Structures are given as structure tokens and as C-alpha cells.
Amino acid sequence: METPDLARMRAEYAREGLDEATAGDDPLTLLGRWLNEAIDAGVYEPNAMALATATPDGRPSVRIVLLKGLDERGLTFFTGYESRKGAEIDANPRAAAVMLWHPLQRQVRVEGAVTRIDEAESDAYFGSRPRGAQIGAVASPQSRVIAGREVLDERVAEVEQVFDGHDVLRPPIWGGYRVALESVEFWQGRPDRLHDRLQYVREGDGWRRDRLAP
């Protein structure tokens, strides 16, 4: 197999910069603005984010999840509590997340403690999902080894039969997590790899903002 010449692959960044006056003092406001601009730009799944968790002994894992809530409490996503990420969060309740918007040459990094959201919030979100996604959440033994696709298809058929004519109930092993906004870094691509990086770190009820070298 012929492999690509990765060392020669290079894209130039030429967007306008990110300065302190434009960024402001509140990272939540800036994050909301950048997310809306990504939506307006037509970025595919602009709420996709890479979520990194780790075992207590420091072995990391990362995957893409969808951001489903954003407020002063943090970033909310949903998954199975018994999935690999759920087990790692239970054992080591901290995470890091990255949102990347290539067309805008921007990324945002968040780090913070992770907590489960309350059951009422999880119930409300589960109830808003398409029925097929609800069935899938009940049927899938997330992150477990299965013998083949047919096993999953059979489980889906069984769940569909159980809830035929009825609302699908959220399984108790599925729900939401929230990553607290303890550190938020905004990255804006600039020419010659001299990117703008502004980092906000939580200090009491406020934020300390620092510029980081690229």
C-alpha cells in the first residue's frame, strides 16, 4: 500500500486573529458565540466534540460525542453509564474535551470535573430523542463485546416488541454527564503557525485570562 507523504501535508491559516478585547472576560459567552458562528457557517455537526477520559492509573481513551447542553455549569453529553467512558468517569471523574471547526480554523479545549446530571434532566432529553434512538439506547450493551451484528439486531427487535404501543422508558443505566468549565482555551489559526491561544482558568467566581504561546 502506498502511504501518503504526511510530512509534506500542510495547510495555511489566514483567518483574522483573536485578541483580548474581542474575546471578552467570560469564556461561556465567547464559546456560545463561536458555536453559533460554526452553526451559521454550515459546519457538519458543529456540536461534535472529542471527549477524553482516563483510568485511575492514567490510561487515556478518547471518542467523539455530541454536546447537548451548554451553560454556566458546563458541557452536557449523554451516554451509557456502563460504557467505557462511563466506567472511567466513575473511577476518575475528570475529563477533557475539544471542539474543532475546520472551516473557521478554530478549536476550543475544555477541562474539568465530571458529574452526572439529575435524572429529571436525563428523562427530559431521552424523551426528546427519536424513537429509534430511544430503542437503540435500551437495546445496546454499550462497549460490551457481542458475537455479531445479528445480536444487536435481535436485541432491537426484542425491545421494539416490549414497547410496542407504549412510550420507551429511559433505561436506568443511560443518562447525562456534565463537564465543568474549569479551564477553557480558545485557539484561532493564524499564518506561519503563530496561532492565537487564549486560556481562561476558573478562579473563585471569576476567570483569569492568559495568552499562551502557539
Side-chain angles (χ1 to χ4, degrees):
M1 182 184 73
E2 183 178 352
T3 59
D5 187 354
L6 299 176
R8 288 183 174 273
M9 294 179 66
R10 178 169 292 270
E12 276 301 325
Y13 298 96
R15 300 286 297 189
E16 62 184 42
L18 176 65
D19 59 31
E20 286 76 359
T22 301
D25 298 324
D26 182 3
L28 182 61
T29 299
L30 181 56
L31 178 52
R33 185 165 78 235
W34 274 23
L35 185 55
N36 280 322
E37 289 174 359
I39 294 169
D40 292 342
V43 175
Y44 182 71
E45 288 198 325
N47 60 326
M49 62 181 186
L51 178 77
T53 56
T55 60
D57 61 350
R59 291 190 297 167
S61 63
V62 65
R63 76 289 291 161
I64 302 298
V65 300
L66 296 179
L67 175 66
K68 290 297 182 177
L70 171 64
D71 58 28
E72 67 280 354
R73 297 171 296 175
L75 312 177
T76 300
F77 65 94
F78 293 84
T79 189
Y81 295 145
E82 296 181 354
S83 65
R84 179 175 178 179
K85 71 179 82 66
E88 291 181 355
I89 289 169
D90 285 347
N92 182 12
R94 298 193 63 80
V98 180
M99 304 185 75
L100 172 65
W101 302 299
H102 262 304
L104 301 180
Q105 300 170 0
R106 290 172 174 171
Q107 63 177 309
V108 175
R109 301 171 59 198
V110 173
E111 298 176 15
V114 188
T115 55
R116 292 189 189 185
I117 66 174
D118 64 45
E119 292 190 1
E121 287 183 88
S122 290
D123 286 340
Y125 174 71
F126 187 83
S128 73
R129 303 181 91 202
R131 186 176 178 86
Q134 294 175 336
I135 293 288
V138 176
S140 175
Q142 192 174 0
S143 298
R144 300 292 190 273
V145 175
I146 57 176
R149 177 73 192 197
E150 65 277 5
V151 174
L152 187 60
D153 292 340
E154 289 171 2
R155 289 179 64 97
V156 168
E158 292 170 359
V159 174
E160 287 177 335
Q161 185 174 14
V162 168
F163 289 101
D164 184 33
H166 304 282
D167 291 338
V168 182
L169 301 178
R170 178 181 67 87
I173 59 171
W174 188 98
Y177 289 96
R178 181 173 291 113
V179 182
L181 302 176
E182 296 179 6
S183 173
V184 186
E185 180 191 326
F186 296 85
W187 181 100
Q188 176 69 69
R190 298 295 300 277
D192 301 321
R193 298 300 188 264
L194 297 174
H195 311 303
D196 286 324
R197 297 175 62 189
L198 295 181
Q199 181 186 58
Y200 295 77
V201 177
R202 173 71 75 179
E203 290 189 339
D205 294 331
W207 296 92
R208 186 188 77 241
R209 185 187 62 207
D210 299 304
R211 176 171 288 270
L212 304 180

